[in-house]
Amino acid sequence: MQTPIYMDNHATTPVDPRVLEAMLPYFTKVFGNAASRNHSFGWEAEKAVDNARKQIADLIGATPKEIIFTSGATESNNLAIKGVAEMYAERGNHIITSATEHKAVLDTCKRLEKQGCRVTYLPVQRDGRIDLEMLEEAITDKTILISIMYANNEIGVIQPIAEIGKLAHARKILFHTDAVQATGKVPVNVQTDNIDLLSLSGHKIYGPKGVGALYVRRKNPRVQIAAQMDGGGHERGMRSGTLNVTGIVGLGKACELCNQEMPAESKRLAYLRDKLKEGILSQLDECYINGSMEHRLPHNINISFAYVEGESLLMGINDVAVSSGSACTSATLEPSYVLKALGVGEDLAHTSIRFGIGRFNTEEEVDYVIKRVVETVMRLRELSPLYDMAKEGIDLSKVSWAAD
Amino acid sequence: MAYSEKVLDHYNKPRNVGTLDKNDPNVGTGMVGAPECGDVMRLQLKVNEETQIIEDAKFKTFGCGSAIASSSLATEWIKGKTVDEALEIKNTDIVSELSLPPVKIHCSVLAEDAIHAAITDYKAKRAAREGSPQPANA
């Protein structure tokens, strides 16, 4: 076993060697512009792109023509939401989303608010899922789009996507989902889930960075989006710019591998995740799991370690790469807005760690991470005045803190 | 973000971790910060009544590595100083000693506050004692 150990697979994943192998010829040998219609270099590139389109479509139950290539999920989210807001402006200006979305969705919505759109940010319940009744009540005759993520990047909680899709279609509202964390990890199907627009990314599924896709439904209903970048009219006019053929080949191959290996892989990851969780919880008291265990990605766990600040814990397990909801690890000095939306107190939000197990993690690594986390939490609790006070029976919520 | 050698050293081998008896008349206790803010420091010092020299100091900190290092360093620095000398320690001294980046300056401020709070507590205890002398001391 080698250290450091990478267990932050919600942030990004390494490129699978089989993906890299598929990509390599397209850097030097088959380097043509997929838009060059008059020579074999262009045709070869176009063929590779079309093949990738099919591989991606197959993973999510779409048809190849419904796949629009982008630079990644941030662009896909921007294009979907802004593109719909612009295209359907005459029909309405109301968008519904949720409080735990990725910033690529939230900040896009905030910009649209400045431009005259009205946005409802649905709260989530304690388990991290939205309330379908609340969603239904939020719908008005001006609602043109519902954008709810498939699975959350911090807590791995899976939203009731099929139910949302059903509701949206019944009310003739478009449904976009940011499926970056879910695609390739759990079965995603745009037909059975009634999804109209879906964002996905290469680097979260063992593909390369800098490439993603947006699924845009072509039938029942035919969805139109206004392009957000002007140029050569690539991707059926929805996204101009020379196609990143190499990246697209990698994204396609990554999707194909996920499609083939998902049943076995998700089982293995869930086993490792459960082992990690049990290993930690059986040895430490006052650890709290954030988000639903029932509706959750198989490779995610997010735990608050009471009385131990997250960044200091990361420092202690410095040969394990995970991430923290602590303010100290963010640029804003605010703890995770996702955990706050769940109703996790700021004190506990500061103590949270996200583990994302991936394709290349081994059971030996999981055992090592359990050991490192347990010993470090114990050491830091010895250093924590809050742990002392809690052991003395002092109710920390009743203490008047001398904070600024 | 990379940590400075000195922050890592204090984090890995914190000095003076522990607790002094808060009921001891010569012990001052300062607790600053709040769990919601992600930092709580408890700093205690024991003063020699005759010389006013801080003979012992202990801390416990809930916070990031820089907060732990700042409070560890603070206890190291105040030991052997008189109460008045300890009050002269500035947060900027801690910043430069530990090479703290701008986002971690609040950790040094908290450490300075903790020193002041502990000394204030000690002085209050002393004033209370002098204000109402115990029969045993009279």
Side-chain angles (χ1 to χ4, degrees), chain A residues 350-381:
Chain A
H350 281 290
T351 72
S352 70
I353 301 286
R354 172 186 74 179
F355 301 88
I357 301 174
R359 182 175 288 167
F360 302 107
N361 286 125
T362 63
E363 187 158 2
E364 191 188 7
E365 288 177 338
V366 168
D367 290 335
Y368 181 78
V369 171
I370 295 170
K371 177 178 152 289
R372 294 286 282 130
V373 168
V374 168
E375 69 192 19
T376 307
V377 169
M378 283 179 168
R379 178 173 97 81
L380 291 171
R381 280 183 174 172

PDB file of all heavy atoms in Angstrom, chain A residues 350-381:
ATOM      1  N   HIS A 350     -18.464  22.509  11.367  1.00  0.00           N
ATOM      2  CA  HIS A 350     -17.015  22.726  11.360  1.00  0.00           C
ATOM      3  C   HIS A 350     -16.236  21.430  11.554  1.00  0.00           C
ATOM      4  O   HIS A 350     -15.031  21.388  11.330  1.00  0.00           O
ATOM      5  CB  HIS A 350     -16.616  23.686  12.486  1.00  0.00           C
ATOM      6  CG  HIS A 350     -16.866  25.128  12.180  1.00  0.00           C
ATOM      7  ND1 HIS A 350     -16.132  25.821  11.257  1.00  0.00           N
ATOM      8  CD2 HIS A 350     -17.777  26.005  12.668  1.00  0.00           C
ATOM      9  CE1 HIS A 350     -16.569  27.067  11.201  1.00  0.00           C
ATOM     10  NE2 HIS A 350     -17.574  27.205  12.037  1.00  0.00           N
ATOM     11  N   THR A 351     -16.910  20.393  12.031  1.00  0.00           N
ATOM     12  CA  THR A 351     -16.196  19.154  12.375  1.00  0.00           C
ATOM     13  C   THR A 351     -16.415  18.047  11.349  1.00  0.00           C
ATOM     14  O   THR A 351     -16.096  16.897  11.604  1.00  0.00           O
ATOM     15  CB  THR A 351     -16.650  18.635  13.756  1.00  0.00           C
ATOM     16  OG1 THR A 351     -17.993  18.109  13.634  1.00  0.00           O
ATOM     17  CG2 THR A 351     -16.646  19.733  14.804  1.00  0.00           C
ATOM     18  N   SER A 352     -16.971  18.398  10.193  1.00  0.00           N
ATOM     19  CA  SER A 352     -17.382  17.341   9.263  1.00  0.00           C
ATOM     20  C   SER A 352     -16.299  16.994   8.243  1.00  0.00           C
ATOM     21  O   SER A 352     -15.525  17.843   7.815  1.00  0.00           O
ATOM     22  CB  SER A 352     -18.645  17.776   8.531  1.00  0.00           C
ATOM     23  OG  SER A 352     -18.322  18.823   7.648  1.00  0.00           O
ATOM     24  N   ILE A 353     -16.270  15.721   7.896  1.00  0.00           N
ATOM     25  CA  ILE A 353     -15.329  15.219   6.887  1.00  0.00           C
ATOM     26  C   ILE A 353     -16.118  14.423   5.843  1.00  0.00           C
ATOM     27  O   ILE A 353     -17.005  13.640   6.187  1.00  0.00           O
ATOM     28  CB  ILE A 353     -14.268  14.286   7.525  1.00  0.00           C
ATOM     29  CG1 ILE A 353     -13.475  15.008   8.605  1.00  0.00           C
ATOM     30  CG2 ILE A 353     -13.334  13.705   6.452  1.00  0.00           C
ATOM     31  CD1 ILE A 353     -12.467  16.013   8.126  1.00  0.00           C
ATOM     32  N   ARG A 354     -15.781  14.662   4.581  1.00  0.00           N
ATOM     33  CA  ARG A 354     -16.391  13.909   3.486  1.00  0.00           C
ATOM     34  C   ARG A 354     -15.389  12.882   2.969  1.00  0.00           C
ATOM     35  O   ARG A 354     -14.257  13.220   2.642  1.00  0.00           O
ATOM     36  CB  ARG A 354     -16.756  14.868   2.353  1.00  0.00           C
ATOM     37  CG  ARG A 354     -17.216  14.155   1.087  1.00  0.00           C
ATOM     38  CD  ARG A 354     -17.440  15.121  -0.052  1.00  0.00           C
ATOM     39  NE  ARG A 354     -16.183  15.607  -0.621  1.00  0.00           N
ATOM     40  CZ  ARG A 354     -16.112  16.445  -1.654  1.00  0.00           C
ATOM     41  NH1 ARG A 354     -17.218  16.902  -2.195  1.00  0.00           N
ATOM     42  NH2 ARG A 354     -14.956  16.838  -2.129  1.00  0.00           N
ATOM     43  N   PHE A 355     -15.837  11.633   2.934  1.00  0.00           N
ATOM     44  CA  PHE A 355     -15.035  10.567   2.352  1.00  0.00           C
ATOM     45  C   PHE A 355     -15.681  10.155   1.029  1.00  0.00           C
ATOM     46  O   PHE A 355     -16.888   9.915   0.977  1.00  0.00           O
ATOM     47  CB  PHE A 355     -15.001   9.341   3.261  1.00  0.00           C
ATOM     48  CG  PHE A 355     -14.443   9.603   4.643  1.00  0.00           C
ATOM     49  CD1 PHE A 355     -15.277  10.032   5.673  1.00  0.00           C
ATOM     50  CD2 PHE A 355     -13.095   9.427   4.910  1.00  0.00           C
ATOM     51  CE1 PHE A 355     -14.777  10.274   6.947  1.00  0.00           C
ATOM     52  CE2 PHE A 355     -12.588   9.664   6.187  1.00  0.00           C
ATOM     53  CZ  PHE A 355     -13.427  10.090   7.206  1.00  0.00           C
ATOM     54  N   GLY A 356     -14.896  10.092  -0.027  1.00  0.00           N
ATOM     55  CA  GLY A 356     -15.410   9.627  -1.321  1.00  0.00           C
ATOM     56  C   GLY A 356     -14.544   8.487  -1.813  1.00  0.00           C
ATOM     57  O   GLY A 356     -13.411   8.687  -2.248  1.00  0.00           O
ATOM     58  N   ILE A 357     -15.073   7.280  -1.695  1.00  0.00           N
ATOM     59  CA  ILE A 357     -14.295   6.098  -2.077  1.00  0.00           C
ATOM     60  C   ILE A 357     -14.404   5.906  -3.587  1.00  0.00           C
ATOM     61  O   ILE A 357     -15.458   6.146  -4.174  1.00  0.00           O
ATOM     62  CB  ILE A 357     -14.798   4.870  -1.297  1.00  0.00           C
ATOM     63  CG1 ILE A 357     -14.647   5.140   0.208  1.00  0.00           C
ATOM     64  CG2 ILE A 357     -14.029   3.616  -1.682  1.00  0.00           C
ATOM     65  CD1 ILE A 357     -15.232   4.073   1.080  1.00  0.00           C
ATOM     66  N   GLY A 358     -13.320   5.472  -4.203  1.00  0.00           N
ATOM     67  CA  GLY A 358     -13.309   5.363  -5.650  1.00  0.00           C
ATOM     68  C   GLY A 358     -12.867   4.005  -6.170  1.00  0.00           C
ATOM     69  O   GLY A 358     -12.515   3.108  -5.402  1.00  0.00           O
ATOM     70  N   ARG A 359     -12.893   3.915  -7.491  1.00  0.00           N
ATOM     71  CA  ARG A 359     -12.583   2.672  -8.202  1.00  0.00           C
ATOM     72  C   ARG A 359     -11.236   2.078  -7.795  1.00  0.00           C
ATOM     73  O   ARG A 359     -11.069   0.869  -7.779  1.00  0.00           O
ATOM     74  CB  ARG A 359     -12.598   2.966  -9.706  1.00  0.00           C
ATOM     75  CG  ARG A 359     -12.352   1.775 -10.586  1.00  0.00           C
ATOM     76  CD  ARG A 359     -12.496   2.135 -12.074  1.00  0.00           C
ATOM     77  NE  ARG A 359     -13.884   2.356 -12.432  1.00  0.00           N
ATOM     78  CZ  ARG A 359     -14.285   2.921 -13.579  1.00  0.00           C
ATOM     79  NH1 ARG A 359     -13.389   3.314 -14.476  1.00  0.00           N
ATOM     80  NH2 ARG A 359     -15.566   3.075 -13.838  1.00  0.00           N
ATOM     81  N   PHE A 360     -10.289   2.941  -7.455  1.00  0.00           N
ATOM     82  CA  PHE A 360      -8.932   2.429  -7.226  1.00  0.00           C
ATOM     83  C   PHE A 360      -8.580   2.299  -5.747  1.00  0.00           C
ATOM     84  O   PHE A 360      -7.447   2.005  -5.401  1.00  0.00           O
ATOM     85  CB  PHE A 360      -7.918   3.298  -7.978  1.00  0.00           C
ATOM     86  CG  PHE A 360      -8.212   3.334  -9.459  1.00  0.00           C
ATOM     87  CD1 PHE A 360      -8.752   4.471 -10.048  1.00  0.00           C
ATOM     88  CD2 PHE A 360      -8.007   2.205 -10.237  1.00  0.00           C
ATOM     89  CE1 PHE A 360      -9.063   4.484 -11.403  1.00  0.00           C
ATOM     90  CE2 PHE A 360      -8.306   2.211 -11.593  1.00  0.00           C
ATOM     91  CZ  PHE A 360      -8.839   3.354 -12.187  1.00  0.00           C
ATOM     92  N   ASN A 361      -9.535   2.531  -4.854  1.00  0.00           N
ATOM     93  CA  ASN A 361      -9.274   2.308  -3.431  1.00  0.00           C
ATOM     94  C   ASN A 361      -9.381   0.822  -3.104  1.00  0.00           C
ATOM     95  O   ASN A 361     -10.203   0.110  -3.667  1.00  0.00           O
ATOM     96  CB  ASN A 361     -10.271   3.091  -2.556  1.00  0.00           C
ATOM     97  CG  ASN A 361      -9.974   4.579  -2.535  1.00  0.00           C
ATOM     98  OD1 ASN A 361     -10.834   5.393  -2.840  1.00  0.00           O
ATOM     99  ND2 ASN A 361      -8.762   4.947  -2.184  1.00  0.00           N
ATOM    100  N   THR A 362      -8.525   0.378  -2.181  1.00  0.00           N
ATOM    101  CA  THR A 362      -8.533  -1.030  -1.785  1.00  0.00           C
ATOM    102  C   THR A 362      -9.039  -1.153  -0.347  1.00  0.00           C
ATOM    103  O   THR A 362      -9.118  -0.164   0.388  1.00  0.00           O
ATOM    104  CB  THR A 362      -7.105  -1.606  -1.825  1.00  0.00           C
ATOM    105  OG1 THR A 362      -6.305  -0.898  -0.861  1.00  0.00           O
ATOM    106  CG2 THR A 362      -6.487  -1.447  -3.212  1.00  0.00           C
ATOM    107  N   GLU A 363      -9.344  -2.387   0.033  1.00  0.00           N
ATOM    108  CA  GLU A 363      -9.818  -2.630   1.398  1.00  0.00           C
ATOM    109  C   GLU A 363      -8.707  -2.299   2.406  1.00  0.00           C
ATOM    110  O   GLU A 363      -8.969  -1.783   3.491  1.00  0.00           O
ATOM    111  CB  GLU A 363     -10.266  -4.087   1.542  1.00  0.00           C
ATOM    112  CG  GLU A 363     -10.921  -4.355   2.879  1.00  0.00           C
ATOM    113  CD  GLU A 363     -11.829  -5.582   2.873  1.00  0.00           C
ATOM    114  OE1 GLU A 363     -11.916  -6.250   1.823  1.00  0.00           O
ATOM    115  OE2 GLU A 363     -12.440  -5.861   3.914  1.00  0.00           O
ATOM    116  N   GLU A 364      -7.484  -2.586   2.027  1.00  0.00           N
ATOM    117  CA  GLU A 364      -6.338  -2.281   2.888  1.00  0.00           C
ATOM    118  C   GLU A 364      -6.268  -0.767   3.161  1.00  0.00           C
ATOM    119  O   GLU A 364      -5.998  -0.334   4.282  1.00  0.00           O
ATOM    120  CB  GLU A 364      -5.059  -2.756   2.186  1.00  0.00           C
ATOM    121  CG  GLU A 364      -3.827  -2.751   3.062  1.00  0.00           C
ATOM    122  CD  GLU A 364      -2.560  -3.055   2.258  1.00  0.00           C
ATOM    123  OE1 GLU A 364      -2.623  -3.138   1.017  1.00  0.00           O
ATOM    124  OE2 GLU A 364      -1.501  -3.186   2.899  1.00  0.00           O
ATOM    125  N   GLU A 365      -6.540   0.012   2.137  1.00  0.00           N
ATOM    126  CA  GLU A 365      -6.529   1.467   2.304  1.00  0.00           C
ATOM    127  C   GLU A 365      -7.633   1.909   3.253  1.00  0.00           C
ATOM    128  O   GLU A 365      -7.438   2.797   4.087  1.00  0.00           O
ATOM    129  CB  GLU A 365      -6.691   2.168   0.954  1.00  0.00           C
ATOM    130  CG  GLU A 365      -5.451   2.071   0.082  1.00  0.00           C
ATOM    131  CD  GLU A 365      -5.641   2.711  -1.294  1.00  0.00           C
ATOM    132  OE1 GLU A 365      -6.798   2.856  -1.757  1.00  0.00           O
ATOM    133  OE2 GLU A 365      -4.643   3.064  -1.909  1.00  0.00           O
ATOM    134  N   VAL A 366      -8.797   1.305   3.110  1.00  0.00           N
ATOM    135  CA  VAL A 366      -9.920   1.646   3.991  1.00  0.00           C
ATOM    136  C   VAL A 366      -9.546   1.336   5.439  1.00  0.00           C
ATOM    137  O   VAL A 366      -9.780   2.153   6.342  1.00  0.00           O
ATOM    138  CB  VAL A 366     -11.206   0.902   3.558  1.00  0.00           C
ATOM    139  CG1 VAL A 366     -12.292   1.025   4.621  1.00  0.00           C
ATOM    140  CG2 VAL A 366     -11.702   1.438   2.221  1.00  0.00           C
ATOM    141  N   ASP A 367      -8.921   0.187   5.670  1.00  0.00           N
ATOM    142  CA  ASP A 367      -8.492  -0.174   7.028  1.00  0.00           C
ATOM    143  C   ASP A 367      -7.514   0.863   7.582  1.00  0.00           C
ATOM    144  O   ASP A 367      -7.593   1.249   8.747  1.00  0.00           O
ATOM    145  CB  ASP A 367      -7.823  -1.560   7.019  1.00  0.00           C
ATOM    146  CG  ASP A 367      -8.829  -2.674   6.766  1.00  0.00           C
ATOM    147  OD1 ASP A 367     -10.026  -2.465   7.058  1.00  0.00           O
ATOM    148  OD2 ASP A 367      -8.438  -3.740   6.261  1.00  0.00           O
ATOM    149  N   TYR A 368      -6.610   1.290   6.731  1.00  0.00           N
ATOM    150  CA  TYR A 368      -5.612   2.278   7.151  1.00  0.00           C
ATOM    151  C   TYR A 368      -6.282   3.613   7.498  1.00  0.00           C
ATOM    152  O   TYR A 368      -5.949   4.242   8.508  1.00  0.00           O
ATOM    153  CB  TYR A 368      -4.577   2.464   6.035  1.00  0.00           C
ATOM    154  CG  TYR A 368      -3.483   3.450   6.372  1.00  0.00           C
ATOM    155  CD1 TYR A 368      -2.430   3.099   7.210  1.00  0.00           C
ATOM    156  CD2 TYR A 368      -3.511   4.746   5.849  1.00  0.00           C
ATOM    157  CE1 TYR A 368      -1.422   4.006   7.520  1.00  0.00           C
ATOM    158  CE2 TYR A 368      -2.512   5.662   6.159  1.00  0.00           C
ATOM    159  CZ  TYR A 368      -1.471   5.287   6.998  1.00  0.00           C
ATOM    160  OH  TYR A 368      -0.488   6.190   7.303  1.00  0.00           O
ATOM    161  N   VAL A 369      -7.239   4.024   6.669  1.00  0.00           N
ATOM    162  CA  VAL A 369      -7.934   5.297   6.904  1.00  0.00           C
ATOM    163  C   VAL A 369      -8.707   5.244   8.227  1.00  0.00           C
ATOM    164  O   VAL A 369      -8.690   6.196   9.014  1.00  0.00           O
ATOM    165  CB  VAL A 369      -8.858   5.648   5.717  1.00  0.00           C
ATOM    166  CG1 VAL A 369      -9.735   6.847   6.043  1.00  0.00           C
ATOM    167  CG2 VAL A 369      -8.031   5.932   4.463  1.00  0.00           C
ATOM    168  N   ILE A 370      -9.352   4.105   8.495  1.00  0.00           N
ATOM    169  CA  ILE A 370     -10.078   3.951   9.770  1.00  0.00           C
ATOM    170  C   ILE A 370      -9.112   4.184  10.932  1.00  0.00           C
ATOM    171  O   ILE A 370      -9.381   4.968  11.850  1.00  0.00           O
ATOM    172  CB  ILE A 370     -10.706   2.536   9.891  1.00  0.00           C
ATOM    173  CG1 ILE A 370     -11.791   2.334   8.834  1.00  0.00           C
ATOM    174  CG2 ILE A 370     -11.252   2.300  11.298  1.00  0.00           C
ATOM    175  CD1 ILE A 370     -12.297   0.899   8.725  1.00  0.00           C
ATOM    176  N   LYS A 371      -7.972   3.534  10.865  1.00  0.00           N
ATOM    177  CA  LYS A 371      -6.981   3.616  11.945  1.00  0.00           C
ATOM    178  C   LYS A 371      -6.497   5.061  12.123  1.00  0.00           C
ATOM    179  O   LYS A 371      -6.449   5.582  13.249  1.00  0.00           O
ATOM    180  CB  LYS A 371      -5.812   2.687  11.604  1.00  0.00           C
ATOM    181  CG  LYS A 371      -4.658   2.706  12.575  1.00  0.00           C
ATOM    182  CD  LYS A 371      -3.607   1.690  12.120  1.00  0.00           C
ATOM    183  CE  LYS A 371      -2.200   2.057  12.558  1.00  0.00           C
ATOM    184  NZ  LYS A 371      -1.588   3.199  11.889  1.00  0.00           N
ATOM    185  N   ARG A 372      -6.178   5.718  11.025  1.00  0.00           N
ATOM    186  CA  ARG A 372      -5.650   7.082  11.097  1.00  0.00           C
ATOM    187  C   ARG A 372      -6.701   8.061  11.639  1.00  0.00           C
ATOM    188  O   ARG A 372      -6.394   8.938  12.445  1.00  0.00           O
ATOM    189  CB  ARG A 372      -5.162   7.543   9.721  1.00  0.00           C
ATOM    190  CG  ARG A 372      -3.967   6.785   9.203  1.00  0.00           C
ATOM    191  CD  ARG A 372      -2.684   7.182   9.927  1.00  0.00           C
ATOM    192  NE  ARG A 372      -2.176   8.458   9.431  1.00  0.00           N
ATOM    193  CZ  ARG A 372      -1.824   9.470  10.219  1.00  0.00           C
ATOM    194  NH1 ARG A 372      -1.944   9.373  11.527  1.00  0.00           N
ATOM    195  NH2 ARG A 372      -1.358  10.586   9.699  1.00  0.00           N
ATOM    196  N   VAL A 373      -7.935   7.905  11.174  1.00  0.00           N
ATOM    197  CA  VAL A 373      -8.998   8.813  11.615  1.00  0.00           C
ATOM    198  C   VAL A 373      -9.242   8.622  13.110  1.00  0.00           C
ATOM    199  O   VAL A 373      -9.298   9.599  13.872  1.00  0.00           O
ATOM    200  CB  VAL A 373     -10.297   8.579  10.810  1.00  0.00           C
ATOM    201  CG1 VAL A 373     -11.480   9.294  11.459  1.00  0.00           C
ATOM    202  CG2 VAL A 373     -10.122   9.043   9.361  1.00  0.00           C
ATOM    203  N   VAL A 374      -9.355   7.379  13.526  1.00  0.00           N
ATOM    204  CA  VAL A 374      -9.674   7.104  14.930  1.00  0.00           C
ATOM    205  C   VAL A 374      -8.577   7.648  15.840  1.00  0.00           C
ATOM    206  O   VAL A 374      -8.847   8.355  16.813  1.00  0.00           O
ATOM    207  CB  VAL A 374      -9.907   5.593  15.152  1.00  0.00           C
ATOM    208  CG1 VAL A 374      -9.957   5.266  16.644  1.00  0.00           C
ATOM    209  CG2 VAL A 374     -11.197   5.144  14.464  1.00  0.00           C
ATOM    210  N   GLU A 375      -7.308   7.364  15.517  1.00  0.00           N
ATOM    211  CA  GLU A 375      -6.236   7.822  16.408  1.00  0.00           C
ATOM    212  C   GLU A 375      -6.119   9.347  16.422  1.00  0.00           C
ATOM    213  O   GLU A 375      -5.859   9.952  17.451  1.00  0.00           O
ATOM    214  CB  GLU A 375      -4.895   7.142  16.077  1.00  0.00           C
ATOM    215  CG  GLU A 375      -4.288   7.556  14.747  1.00  0.00           C
ATOM    216  CD  GLU A 375      -3.111   6.669  14.306  1.00  0.00           C
ATOM    217  OE1 GLU A 375      -2.982   5.541  14.822  1.00  0.00           O
ATOM    218  OE2 GLU A 375      -2.348   7.119  13.435  1.00  0.00           O
ATOM    219  N   THR A 376      -6.371   9.975  15.275  1.00  0.00           N
ATOM    220  CA  THR A 376      -6.249  11.435  15.214  1.00  0.00           C
ATOM    221  C   THR A 376      -7.403  12.119  15.956  1.00  0.00           C
ATOM    222  O   THR A 376      -7.193  13.095  16.678  1.00  0.00           O
ATOM    223  CB  THR A 376      -6.191  11.906  13.752  1.00  0.00           C
ATOM    224  OG1 THR A 376      -5.166  11.188  13.081  1.00  0.00           O
ATOM    225  CG2 THR A 376      -5.886  13.389  13.660  1.00  0.00           C
ATOM    226  N   VAL A 377      -8.616  11.605  15.785  1.00  0.00           N
ATOM    227  CA  VAL A 377      -9.752  12.194  16.517  1.00  0.00           C
ATOM    228  C   VAL A 377      -9.519  12.064  18.016  1.00  0.00           C
ATOM    229  O   VAL A 377      -9.738  13.016  18.779  1.00  0.00           O
ATOM    230  CB  VAL A 377     -11.092  11.539  16.086  1.00  0.00           C
ATOM    231  CG1 VAL A 377     -12.226  11.959  17.019  1.00  0.00           C
ATOM    232  CG2 VAL A 377     -11.427  11.913  14.646  1.00  0.00           C
ATOM    233  N   MET A 378      -9.024  10.901  18.444  1.00  0.00           N
ATOM    234  CA  MET A 378      -8.775  10.717  19.885  1.00  0.00           C
ATOM    235  C   MET A 378      -7.731  11.716  20.381  1.00  0.00           C
ATOM    236  O   MET A 378      -7.898  12.332  21.438  1.00  0.00           O
ATOM    237  CB  MET A 378      -8.295   9.285  20.155  1.00  0.00           C
ATOM    238  CG  MET A 378      -9.427   8.282  20.124  1.00  0.00           C
ATOM    239  SD  MET A 378      -8.781   6.618  20.406  1.00  0.00           S
ATOM    240  CE  MET A 378     -10.322   5.727  20.674  1.00  0.00           C
ATOM    241  N   ARG A 379      -6.662  11.890  19.626  1.00  0.00           N
ATOM    242  CA  ARG A 379      -5.599  12.822  20.027  1.00  0.00           C
ATOM    243  C   ARG A 379      -6.135  14.262  20.099  1.00  0.00           C
ATOM    244  O   ARG A 379      -5.889  14.983  21.055  1.00  0.00           O
ATOM    245  CB  ARG A 379      -4.457  12.750  19.018  1.00  0.00           C
ATOM    246  CG  ARG A 379      -3.318  13.705  19.311  1.00  0.00           C
ATOM    247  CD  ARG A 379      -2.131  13.492  18.382  1.00  0.00           C
ATOM    248  NE  ARG A 379      -2.107  14.400  17.240  1.00  0.00           N
ATOM    249  CZ  ARG A 379      -1.652  15.655  17.292  1.00  0.00           C
ATOM    250  NH1 ARG A 379      -1.208  16.154  18.415  1.00  0.00           N
ATOM    251  NH2 ARG A 379      -1.656  16.415  16.216  1.00  0.00           N
ATOM    252  N   LEU A 380      -6.921  14.651  19.087  1.00  0.00           N
ATOM    253  CA  LEU A 380      -7.417  16.029  19.047  1.00  0.00           C
ATOM    254  C   LEU A 380      -8.496  16.279  20.104  1.00  0.00           C
ATOM    255  O   LEU A 380      -8.649  17.400  20.588  1.00  0.00           O
ATOM    256  CB  LEU A 380      -7.921  16.380  17.655  1.00  0.00           C
ATOM    257  CG  LEU A 380      -6.807  16.480  16.594  1.00  0.00           C
ATOM    258  CD1 LEU A 380      -7.383  16.605  15.199  1.00  0.00           C
ATOM    259  CD2 LEU A 380      -5.884  17.663  16.884  1.00  0.00           C
ATOM    260  N   ARG A 381      -9.220  15.226  20.448  1.00  0.00           N
ATOM    261  CA  ARG A 381     -10.210  15.418  21.522  1.00  0.00           C
ATOM    262  C   ARG A 381      -9.514  15.639  22.858  1.00  0.00           C
ATOM    263  O   ARG A 381     -10.003  16.383  23.711  1.00  0.00           O
ATOM    264  CB  ARG A 381     -11.167  14.223  21.582  1.00  0.00           C
ATOM    265  CG  ARG A 381     -12.249  14.321  20.511  1.00  0.00           C
ATOM    266  CD  ARG A 381     -13.247  13.198  20.578  1.00  0.00           C
ATOM    267  NE  ARG A 381     -14.335  13.423  19.616  1.00  0.00           N
ATOM    268  CZ  ARG A 381     -15.268  12.535  19.338  1.00  0.00           C
ATOM    269  NH1 ARG A 381     -15.264  11.350  19.923  1.00  0.00           N
ATOM    270  NH2 ARG A 381     -16.219  12.822  18.461  1.00  0.00           N
TER     271      ARG A 381
END
